[in-house]
Amino acid sequence: MSYPRGPGTAHQLIATDEARRLTSAVEADPLAPVRAAIIAPGGYGKTALLGELRRLFQHAGVPVLGLREALADTARRRQAAVLVDDAHRLPHDQVEQLVELAMDDETRLVAAYRPWPRSSPLTELTGVLEQAVLLRPLVHSAIAQRATAVLGSEPPAGLVDLLDEYTGGVPRYVDRVLLALRGTRAEVPFPVPEAAIARFQPDLDGLDPGVHRLLLGKAVASGLHAETLTALLELDVDTASELTDGARATGMLDRGGALLPIARQAITTLSPAERTLPVQRQLIEAQQRRGGPVLALVRPLLGTGVVGLGAGFEQAGDEALAESPELAAELYAAAIAAGAPATPLAGRRAGAAARSGDFDTALRLADGVLAGTDETDRAHAANVAGAALAHRGLLAPSTELHRWSGSPSGAAFAVIGLIGTGQVKDAELLLAEHRQSGPPVLATSAATQMARGVHQSVKDSAATALATLTRASSMLEPVGRTELLPDTPAALAALVALHSGEFVVADLVLERAIGAATGGTLAVPRHRLLQAWGAMLRGDVGTARTKLAEAGQELELRDALTASAVRVGIARRESDLATLRNACEQAWEVALRHPVDLFSLLPLGELTVAAARLGTPGRLAPQLAEAEVLLGQLGNPPLWEATFRWNRMHAAIAGEQLDAAETQVAALAAMAGPHPYFAVLATASRCWLKVLTGDIDPAEVEAAARGLHDAGLRWDGPRLAGQAAIRTTDRKGMLRLLDCARVLQGNAARQDAEAAGRDKAPRAARLSDREREVAELVVAGHTYKEIGQRLFISAKTVEYHVARMRQRFGCESRDDLLEQLRVLVGARPAS
């Protein structure tokens, strides 16, 4: 290769100590004898160094001869310097003649050659020449210098690092990329230019066939150890060693013997399929015979249409299933296209499709297996279909499929589904009959624990159920990322925790499950949404909004119901009626499609409150009736019923339905004993009922509000105090309750400072300075006349400002506006 000339070319390309010593000696005394060998793989700059020596000799008036000229004219040779490039390509007889020249102590001879192929004469030549110059790849600073010289300006940030990574510092490859980039905008990162790759074609064409085959093997099987690769290529030790030396001599390998990225790209791009495919096929078939993994070998063949490798694609699909179900699905499809029979693969294809979230394909394939006569995969297909239906919110048919499968995990999931749909007796019978067959593997044991935990949630204490489900989640962590689950133990534990006020526990168990990838990527949206729910209940709408966004947009029905209810809950807590109305329209459509089950009571309750808030309390009446029946079938378990009653109570209050509110308050009072959280809800609900009737005891309300706040319901506490302040006729009591609301709201804000800042700042910016002054005084309880006197404006102007704020925030009543203004400016006592 002829390297482009440029400022400092030789220094940049051959900057090694040995090279500098040689060029310095020639420059200092060009007439002195010199006998040197330049030894390096291809592309390392041997030709560039010879070119520099040629320049130095000629500058000093010393003629430069090639080998033929030197051999033909002995007299002239003694006055000249003999420079020989690519000595490894010379015939043996010419190398022998070169050895004779080297034996002359007075000669000036420099020969450049690769370390392979070796021959006896070349080995002898190396021994005769008194100086050996070994060239090495360019270091980072030298690459930077070369980039500046070729590009004509300082290289963009990251370019030198990328060149170093792609080329390994091999000068020839560095120049190929730089020359292809010259005159372009070399933005980092960039694909290696086609022009740089194309210049590898002569290198590949000139390769020894055995070396080329070894390099092809390294290119298509980059993940294999060198010894494994040579074994698969059926090379004996001596041949493998010889060919490896030949591959190193090309300059395409790094120090560890792996192909440089640019060389791998060139080989795979430029080598024709008729040369590449036989090597790939041999490696795959040999690896299968050894019982080794084939995924790295098979994956590059996706989309090539190759036939006859169905078994290889099938095995690769099995290997990919745990880490990448999407890839596994592609590989199974390719296996069938390559000749593998479709029927034995259908169950695995269904599982891969389900794990990757393609439930339509999963259900279609699983249904085909279930309808077939082959019993091999029917249990597996039933569990796949059951998991898919559970994600789609169809718990009843999901339960039937899991129960029918007859597998230990299927039976456990069926118990969960039976309880979730109110069939507790059947669940208990199945739980009693369930006997684990086979070894107690973690996944099956965790599923059994999940079933027991859900049963405990309706029959035992909340603490017992939460402990069992949390242990099940921990048990599943080492293997959970590869399991297809209808629901995760972390999600069930979080639901129990959210229903019992253990918000910190819910967040921690969910975060651990996300870290362990329990349930794979399929479970991440559910875990994030339940985190959002906990944040929303704590009044941390900023975090709730973040977790909601992290859950994504493409959600199955069960997750879509939760997500829509979170949006509704955030809007309600922000008193953003316009957003609430829009969110509810979308949420109600989702709720109509989702059958009621035990695990959907939280979103149903939130949507019920929102419906009443918007003046449509009967919107979800059929779903509420189903929920009542469900809870009755389960014996009205306090864990699941308390929050549901709390939400129904709020819906009744929002609709000012005193009788309905009294019913829910009485139900909460009946279940106040089993858990402190339920007692807090019962006490607060009784206060809410009194607020509704105007029977307000400030001390009682303040205690209840603080109880809610301390229990984690940091939005509900200030709201109870604020609403009681609005409705009381006792001015002193009003000020006390407003101060309580302000303090509790301030505590919540301090606990969620960062999230609250992000969430409230844009809304607070909607108030002008004058509106903020008016708002603060309105929240403090002053009349329009009093506000006017303080601000030196008329009461009519105050009324105008209040009307504008009410219109801007979409508030339908004065109470709505007061809630908004408390969020924006807080509450302060009148003075």
Side-chain angles (χ1 to χ4, degrees), residues 321-325 355 476-485 513-522:
L321 186 58
E323 295 297 328
S324 178
R355 284 192 177 101
L476 196 60
E477 284 177 3
V479 297
R481 67 186 307 122
T482 65
E483 295 298 316
L484 175 63
L485 304 169
I514 292 169
T518 302
T521 56
L522 202 60

Short mmCIF file of all heavy atoms in Angstrom, two decimals, residues 321-325 355 476-485 513-522:
data_model
loop_
_atom_site.label_atom_id
_atom_site.label_comp_id
_atom_site.label_asym_id
_atom_site.label_seq_id
_atom_site.Cartn_x
_atom_site.Cartn_y
_atom_site.Cartn_z
N LEU A 321 -34.25 -17.83 24.25
CA LEU A 321 -35.56 -17.61 24.87
C LEU A 321 -35.48 -16.88 26.20
O LEU A 321 -36.28 -15.99 26.48
CB LEU A 321 -36.27 -18.95 25.04
CG LEU A 321 -37.72 -18.89 25.53
CD1 LEU A 321 -38.58 -18.05 24.59
CD2 LEU A 321 -38.30 -20.30 25.66
N ALA A 322 -34.51 -17.25 27.03
CA ALA A 322 -34.45 -16.66 28.37
C ALA A 322 -34.13 -15.17 28.32
O ALA A 322 -34.76 -14.37 29.02
CB ALA A 322 -33.40 -17.39 29.22
N GLU A 323 -33.18 -14.76 27.49
CA GLU A 323 -32.73 -13.38 27.48
C GLU A 323 -33.45 -12.51 26.46
O GLU A 323 -33.61 -11.31 26.66
CB GLU A 323 -31.22 -13.32 27.20
CG GLU A 323 -30.37 -13.96 28.29
CD GLU A 323 -30.50 -13.26 29.62
OE1 GLU A 323 -30.70 -12.03 29.62
OE2 GLU A 323 -30.43 -13.94 30.66
N SER A 324 -33.87 -13.10 25.36
CA SER A 324 -34.49 -12.30 24.29
C SER A 324 -35.60 -13.10 23.62
O SER A 324 -35.37 -13.75 22.60
CB SER A 324 -33.44 -11.87 23.26
OG SER A 324 -34.05 -11.13 22.23
N PRO A 325 -36.79 -13.08 24.20
CA PRO A 325 -37.89 -13.84 23.59
C PRO A 325 -38.22 -13.37 22.18
O PRO A 325 -38.65 -14.17 21.35
CB PRO A 325 -39.06 -13.62 24.56
CG PRO A 325 -38.68 -12.43 25.38
CD PRO A 325 -37.20 -12.42 25.45
N ARG A 355 -43.87 -14.00 25.82
CA ARG A 355 -42.84 -13.31 26.60
C ARG A 355 -42.44 -11.98 25.96
O ARG A 355 -42.01 -11.06 26.64
CB ARG A 355 -41.61 -14.20 26.75
CG ARG A 355 -41.77 -15.31 27.77
CD ARG A 355 -40.43 -15.97 28.07
NE ARG A 355 -40.57 -16.99 29.08
CZ ARG A 355 -40.63 -18.29 28.83
NH1 ARG A 355 -40.54 -18.72 27.59
NH2 ARG A 355 -40.77 -19.16 29.81
N LEU A 476 -38.24 -15.90 43.84
CA LEU A 476 -38.27 -15.95 42.38
C LEU A 476 -37.18 -15.10 41.73
O LEU A 476 -36.92 -15.24 40.53
CB LEU A 476 -39.65 -15.48 41.89
CG LEU A 476 -40.03 -15.82 40.44
CD1 LEU A 476 -40.04 -17.32 40.21
CD2 LEU A 476 -41.39 -15.23 40.10
N GLU A 477 -36.54 -14.22 42.49
CA GLU A 477 -35.59 -13.27 41.89
C GLU A 477 -34.49 -13.92 41.06
O GLU A 477 -34.18 -13.43 39.97
CB GLU A 477 -34.98 -12.39 42.99
CG GLU A 477 -35.94 -11.32 43.49
CD GLU A 477 -35.35 -10.51 44.62
OE1 GLU A 477 -34.17 -10.75 44.98
OE2 GLU A 477 -36.05 -9.63 45.17
N PRO A 478 -33.87 -15.04 41.49
CA PRO A 478 -32.78 -15.58 40.68
C PRO A 478 -33.21 -16.12 39.32
O PRO A 478 -32.40 -16.15 38.39
CB PRO A 478 -32.23 -16.73 41.56
CG PRO A 478 -32.70 -16.41 42.94
CD PRO A 478 -34.02 -15.74 42.76
N VAL A 479 -34.47 -16.56 39.19
CA VAL A 479 -34.91 -17.19 37.94
C VAL A 479 -36.10 -16.49 37.30
O VAL A 479 -36.53 -16.86 36.22
CB VAL A 479 -35.28 -18.68 38.19
CG1 VAL A 479 -34.07 -19.46 38.65
CG2 VAL A 479 -36.43 -18.80 39.20
N GLY A 480 -36.60 -15.45 37.96
CA GLY A 480 -37.86 -14.85 37.52
C GLY A 480 -37.82 -14.18 36.17
O GLY A 480 -38.84 -14.04 35.50
N ARG A 481 -36.62 -13.75 35.71
CA ARG A 481 -36.53 -13.03 34.44
C ARG A 481 -36.89 -13.94 33.27
O ARG A 481 -37.24 -13.45 32.20
CB ARG A 481 -35.14 -12.46 34.26
CG ARG A 481 -34.05 -13.48 34.10
CD ARG A 481 -32.64 -12.88 34.07
NE ARG A 481 -32.53 -11.84 33.09
CZ ARG A 481 -32.17 -10.59 33.37
NH1 ARG A 481 -31.88 -10.25 34.60
NH2 ARG A 481 -32.06 -9.69 32.42
N THR A 482 -36.80 -15.26 33.45
CA THR A 482 -37.07 -16.19 32.35
C THR A 482 -38.46 -16.79 32.41
O THR A 482 -38.81 -17.59 31.54
CB THR A 482 -36.03 -17.32 32.35
OG1 THR A 482 -36.20 -18.11 33.54
CG2 THR A 482 -34.62 -16.78 32.28
N GLU A 483 -39.24 -16.43 33.44
CA GLU A 483 -40.54 -17.05 33.63
C GLU A 483 -41.67 -16.23 32.99
O GLU A 483 -41.67 -15.01 33.07
CB GLU A 483 -40.83 -17.22 35.13
CG GLU A 483 -39.90 -18.18 35.85
CD GLU A 483 -40.00 -19.59 35.31
OE1 GLU A 483 -41.13 -20.07 35.08
OE2 GLU A 483 -38.94 -20.22 35.10
N LEU A 484 -42.59 -16.95 32.36
CA LEU A 484 -43.81 -16.33 31.85
C LEU A 484 -44.87 -16.45 32.93
O LEU A 484 -45.32 -17.55 33.25
CB LEU A 484 -44.26 -17.02 30.56
CG LEU A 484 -45.60 -16.53 29.98
CD1 LEU A 484 -45.51 -15.06 29.58
CD2 LEU A 484 -46.00 -17.38 28.78
N LEU A 485 -45.28 -15.33 33.52
CA LEU A 485 -46.18 -15.35 34.67
C LEU A 485 -47.46 -14.60 34.36
O LEU A 485 -47.43 -13.55 33.71
CB LEU A 485 -45.50 -14.67 35.86
CG LEU A 485 -44.14 -15.24 36.29
CD1 LEU A 485 -43.48 -14.31 37.30
CD2 LEU A 485 -44.32 -16.62 36.88
N ALA A 513 -38.08 -6.22 42.38
CA ALA A 513 -38.53 -7.05 41.25
C ALA A 513 -38.07 -6.45 39.93
O ALA A 513 -37.68 -7.19 39.01
CB ALA A 513 -40.05 -7.19 41.28
N ILE A 514 -38.12 -5.14 39.82
CA ILE A 514 -37.64 -4.49 38.60
C ILE A 514 -36.15 -4.71 38.43
O ILE A 514 -35.66 -5.00 37.34
CB ILE A 514 -37.98 -2.99 38.63
CG1 ILE A 514 -39.50 -2.79 38.54
CG2 ILE A 514 -37.29 -2.24 37.49
CD1 ILE A 514 -39.96 -1.38 38.83
N GLY A 515 -35.39 -4.58 39.53
CA GLY A 515 -33.96 -4.82 39.47
C GLY A 515 -33.62 -6.24 39.08
O GLY A 515 -32.64 -6.48 38.37
N ALA A 516 -34.41 -7.20 39.54
CA ALA A 516 -34.17 -8.61 39.22
C ALA A 516 -34.83 -9.01 37.90
O ALA A 516 -34.68 -10.15 37.47
CB ALA A 516 -34.70 -9.50 40.35
N ALA A 517 -35.55 -8.10 37.27
CA ALA A 517 -36.26 -8.37 36.00
C ALA A 517 -37.24 -9.51 36.15
O ALA A 517 -37.44 -10.30 35.23
CB ALA A 517 -35.27 -8.64 34.87
N THR A 518 -37.87 -9.63 37.33
CA THR A 518 -38.84 -10.69 37.55
C THR A 518 -39.99 -10.57 36.56
O THR A 518 -40.61 -9.51 36.42
CB THR A 518 -39.40 -10.62 38.99
OG1 THR A 518 -38.31 -10.72 39.91
CG2 THR A 518 -40.38 -11.75 39.24
N GLY A 519 -40.29 -11.67 35.88
CA GLY A 519 -41.33 -11.65 34.87
C GLY A 519 -40.88 -11.09 33.54
O GLY A 519 -41.70 -10.96 32.61
N GLY A 520 -39.60 -10.74 33.41
CA GLY A 520 -39.08 -10.20 32.16
C GLY A 520 -39.61 -8.80 31.88
O GLY A 520 -40.22 -8.15 32.74
N THR A 521 -39.37 -8.34 30.67
CA THR A 521 -39.82 -6.99 30.30
C THR A 521 -41.35 -6.89 30.32
O THR A 521 -41.90 -5.80 30.45
CB THR A 521 -39.32 -6.63 28.90
OG1 THR A 521 -39.76 -7.63 27.97
CG2 THR A 521 -37.80 -6.59 28.87
N LEU A 522 -42.01 -8.04 30.21
CA LEU A 522 -43.46 -8.06 30.19
C LEU A 522 -44.05 -7.52 31.49
O LEU A 522 -45.14 -6.93 31.50
CB LEU A 522 -43.92 -9.50 29.98
CG LEU A 522 -45.32 -9.76 29.41
CD1 LEU A 522 -45.46 -9.13 28.05
CD2 LEU A 522 -45.57 -11.26 29.33
#
